Amino acid sequence: MTLTRLDKPVQFLKGVGPKRAEHLQRMGILTARDLLYHVPRRYDDASTITPVELAQVGMDVTLVGEVRNKGVIPTRSGLRIFQAVIQDDSGLITCSWPGQPWVERRVRPGDRILVTGPVRFFHGRQIQPREFTVLSRASADAPAEDPPGTIFSTYPAAEDLPQWIFRRLFELNLDQLLAQIRDEEYLPPRDRRQHGLVEISAALRDLHRPRDNARIAAARRRLAFDELFFLQLMQARVRHDATRERPGIAFTRTNRLIRALHDSLPFTLTGAQARVLREIYADMTSPERMNRMLQGDVGSGKTLVALFAMLLAVEGGYQAALMAPTEILAEQHAHRIGDFLRDIPCRLEILTGSATGRRREEARARVASGEARLVVGTHALIQEGVEFDALGLVVVDEQHRFGVRQRMALSEREPRPDTLLMSATPIPRSLAMTLHGELDLSTIDELPPGRVPVTTRLASPEDRPAILRELCRRLDRGRQAYLVYPAIEESERADLLAAETEFERLRSEDLAGRTLALIHGRLPGDEKDRIMRAFQQGEIDVLVATTVIEVGIDVPNATMIVIENPERFGLSQLHQLRGRIGRGDEGGLCAVIAGRAEGEETGDPTPTTDRLAAFARTNDGFEIAAEDLRIRGQGDFFGAEQHGHGTELKFADIIEHEDLIGPTRDRARALIDIDPQLSAPAHAVVRNHLDSRYGDRAQLFGVG
Ligand code: ADP
Ligand code: MG
């Protein structure tokens, strides 16, 4: 890596001594470049700043004023309240920090501060700041008046590094830093024009010295492009290693088994199934290794698609394996696949943890000899001692339930098999491309025809008796049902219904005489399996459960689900729960009984009602996912353990910058295709930017 001046330690910058350098390091700012990219997290201008005079009780405001006086006030209850009076052109107002006497040390009379918070009435109007920023300190020769149109920026700060220090550091150093980053522009003007992007140096200038909101947005867009591009560059490298580095298998398609399966189906494939199969076949018959994710709603026919792919592997002379997260799911797959294969000459084997002794040895021997062509199992498949004769394709069901290492374990054998990862929790394409840029994506966005859609009913606690009556009518017709609760025990949260307590109550009251079983995450695995099996076989009428039933099992005879306290569940989670019913021929009913609205207590207007309304409005998993992303924001998806590390985004917003995702990915892949190591002199700038800005992450991605 070639070091540039931007990679020098912050200590070489003006205004940074050893002490301050240490403080900066504690915030993760080690180099000049880190400081340059330490940009404000919010901006306020005249349109968002309220003159003191106009701040009325009940409003939530942002004000800018000068601190007149301050002090800590003790109260009879022992609570210490810090108060500061601030003044702007229009008047004076008291700011109050109950229980936060330490704020006293942060502000001085004469400081210009920005505060944000609600206006309350307490011996007159006062603001209780949620946030405050010292914009300038009287001593630091700041102007007394802000020129019109001033935008106030708030940097991420720390106790020993308040706002005004960042301001000061940028006053001293920004011009020089911008001149240096100018040399690292890697996008030619033509490409910038094409995507409507400003130069890197202009973007950073406008973020540190904001002139207007349009320029701030343009600056963010540019940094979002860079961020997406470099993230995808790392993912493209992983993809390159996985698919190009060593040759994969080019399967020969004879159609011997595929045709037989086609001919035996009592229905035709949906358009979406046919399309994703073409994508999968194209990957499999090419010499590059397949590394593909198949996503589609519950019941969209993924298993069948996987089976076609497995048969292609088998007719091409290889074995194929399907790995499921639980024993019951593995059995279910084996059972269904067995049905499809009834008249097709292809030997199926099941390998789970429960088979022991001689049976297990025999099964393993058939897998090792190649007598078994299709193998379905749990992670028993990746255990020590399981040998395949010629494993050509690995399918992983409910891929997010497996750790990265488990997923890799099967696909790292030699020769390296193709991989198909399946997910029944659809996420928007833009999100999938960013989170899983190393994979190719196939999407089934269509359900087989003739499905009776599930009806969703939003209900309140008063409706519970009527809902239970409907449930009993269904039980009388021989159907089964689920009752889902957010908690196991009552003590967990006073306001939540708990599965255990309700189980006891229902058993002796509303559902007396029915067969009920209780299932939750604290039961041992084999106990859970035993209960699920009994439910599957119709020995249990009603399953009282927590979200453990979320993934997996299909019981077509279960046609009703009641979800209590749905406000405790995410949208996608609710959709997964609803997916448990509606597999049968009778129309499914999903009743959600909302408790007290979430925001009532905290005053926080959490869009619970929005979420539930969206849930009731559509049965389409992709719409639900888009809505979930809109409501929860991308933060929940990025950085989550299941998706691996290093994907947190600071500038890019998946919704706002959606149009940049495709182009950055194509650009990243094209570059890695021609120069995987980025070793050509022409790519030195990109390489250097990658190393210095994303060095830690690049290592996580195995780049560098
Ligand atoms: P998924 O794995 O996506 O949840 P499955 O593969 O289990 O979905 O399919 C659900 C059901 O729909 C199965 O009973 C399957 O046989 C059936 N099925 C799959 N594809 C079609 C189709 N094109 N037309 C009709 N039924 C289909
Ligand atoms: Mg499935």
Side-chain angles (χ1 to χ4, degrees), residues 402-507:
F402 292 96
V404 176
R405 196 157 312 141
Q406 284 174 313
R407 272 183 336 229
M408 302 291 265
L410 267 179
S411 43
E412 269 170 2
R413 293 161 186 261
E414 296 287 341
R416 303 215 289 171
D418 282 12
T419 8
L420 182 65
L421 306 172
M422 300 205 288
S423 170
T425 314
I427 54 174
R429 191 172 180 84
S430 54
L431 188 59
M433 275 167 63
T434 331
L435 284 173
H436 305 293
E438 74 282 13
L439 303 172
D440 294 305
L441 185 66
S442 285
T443 299
I444 308 187
D445 51 5
E446 182 186 0
L447 289 182
R451 292 277 165 83
V452 188
V454 173
T455 307
T456 300
R457 188 184 299 164
L458 299 185
S460 49
E462 303 85 71
D463 304 319
R464 194 175 289 119
I467 288 169
L468 287 175
R469 278 198 299 278
E470 168 64 21
L471 191 136
C472 286
R473 277 195 291 278
R474 288 181 183 242
L475 299 183
D476 289 340
R477 291 200 295 271
R479 302 304 186 170
Q480 293 162 281
Y482 301 96
L483 286 166
V484 181
Y485 296 89
I488 303 177
E489 289 170 46
E490 191 133 272
S491 57
E492 291 172 37
R493 278 278 305 263
D495 54 333
L496 298 182
L497 290 177
E500 266 181 359
T501 330
E502 290 306 299
F503 173 69
E504 294 303 337
R505 202 185 55 71
L506 290 163
R507 197 153 64 151

Side-chain angles (χ1 to χ4, degrees), residues 265-271 273 296-305 332-333 336 340 397-398 422-424 444 447-449 451 554 583:
L265 290 180
F267 47 75
T268 52
L269 294 181
T270 62
Q273 282 173 315
D297 238 324
V298 174
S300 58
K302 293 184 296 298
T303 310
L304 184 59
V305 167
Q332 194 170 280
H333 275 307
R336 283 213 218 131
F340 280 123
D397 190 23
E398 302 294 346
M422 300 205 288
S423 170
I444 308 187
L447 289 182
R451 292 277 165 83
D554 304 330
R583 292 244 172 179

